[in-house]
Amino acid sequence: MIPLEYYLALSSAAFGIGAYGVLVCRNAIRVLMCLELMMNAANINLVAFSRYLGDAAGQIFVTFSIAIAAAEAAVGLAIILLIYRLYGTVEIGELKNLRW
Amino acid sequence: MESKDSEEAEKVSLELIAFLAIALIIIAASILVIKAREIVHSALFLALTFVGVAALFIMLEAEFLAAIQVLIYAGAVVVLMLFAIMLTRREKGLDYLGTKITLFKGAASLVFLAVILGIILAGRWYPARGIGEGSTQFIGKQLFSYYILHFELIAILLLAAIIGAIYLARREVK
């Protein structure tokens, strides 16, 4: 088996890309996509540790994490649609009402 | 003994090649999620990333999770994203905040990545041990015995999410 560090390096790279996207992107839908990327990176970590430690509990955590990610995507997109209906845009730079 | 060692080495190198190919797909697709000009394209690259992660799960002998990953992420979540994209207006122009801030944020992400990679490479990790039982059976048994409370909580959470999403996205009826 290849060393565990490879998986950890890949998942941290994916997490870094996702974090960059969350910080930089203007479109709220794209920000949500980058959030999903970060969640996937965390899942890779959990599964890799569960494989390399010989403990399948990590896979159960990932099952829960996927369920929560699905719920988060549904509610997040509903909120984005509501924002679009109210303001006519999904650019997060335009949404200044809650800034104070 | 020697032939067994060489066989093992060949297996490791094959695994390494597969891992590097999948890693390349995941990294490239997730960069393209941010960089694609059309947001529909970035949704499709997101699906590619999810499929790559599913392949990684298969390499880690988590077949059940790979199936779930394809069904829920590459199936449901990406379709949800596509619907949201279709229901909102297409943004014109570059999809980034101002360049100066972008540079700063990119540098911040890179520093973060460097710190994590340094910690990973400096640490000493356990040698590999396999999961004894078939992992799908194990997950099923554990999910309905030891983790039954968590399972029920997730069910309630999903119900709440469904109701919340419907409430938020519904149209006012006059």
Side-chain angles (χ1 to χ4, degrees), chain A residues 1-2 4-10 12-21 23-27 29-30 32-34 36-37 39-40 43-44 47-71 73-75 77-82 84-85 88-91 93, chain B residues 12 15-16 19 23 27 30-31 33-34 36-39 42-43 46 49-50 53 56-57 59-62 65 68-69 72-73 80-81 84-85 87-89 91 94-97 102 105-106 109 112-113 116-117 120 125-131 135 138-139 142-143 147 150-151 154 157-158 161 165 168-171:
Chain A
M1 269 161 69
I2 61 176
L4 177 58
E5 285 93 327
Y6 289 22
Y7 288 102
L8 300 186
L10 171 63
S12 53
F15 191 90
I17 294 168
Y20 175 74
L23 289 174
V24 160
C25 285
R26 237 169 28 170
N27 191 319
I29 298 173
R30 211 175 278 214
L32 215 60
M33 286 183 197
C34 294
E36 300 286 340
L37 281 183
M39 255 184 165
N40 256 280
N43 287 352
I44 294 174
V47 177
F49 272 115
S50 109
R51 173 83 182 89
Y52 280 73
L53 294 179
D55 184 356
Q59 298 191 16
I60 295 169
F61 296 160
V62 173
T63 317
F64 291 144
S65 148
I66 289 176
I68 289 173
V75 174
L77 288 172
I79 290 173
I80 287 174
L81 285 185
L82 198 63
Y84 178 70
R85 214 176 287 154
T89 180
V90 289
E91 284 203 16
Chain B
V12 166
E15 199 182 353
L16 187 64
F19 174 81
I27 299 285
S30 42
I31 288 173
V33 168
I34 303 170
R37 289 220 160 248
E38 294 282 333
I39 192 162
S42 64
L46 190 72
T49 314
F50 290 156
V53 174
L56 214 59
F57 284 173
M59 274 185 69
L60 289 165
E61 296 179 16
L65 286 182
I68 288 191
Q69 173 87 11
I72 294 184
Y73 270 123
L80 215 58
M81 297 274 178
I85 291 165
L87 289 173
T88 53
R89 194 167 40 126
E91 307 287 342
L94 207 60
D95 187 35
Y96 302 109
L97 300 171
T102 305
K105 286 170 176 172
S109 305
F112 169 78
L113 181 59
I116 289 200
L117 278 181
I120 287 169
W125 302 100
Y126 296 93
R129 263 182 290 164
I131 298 164
S135 64
F138 183 82
I139 289 175
Q142 289 281 300
L143 210 56
Y147 292 98
H150 313 64
F151 186 77
I154 288 286
L157 177 90
L158 280 175
L168 286 173
R170 85 197 192 292
R171 256 181 215 293

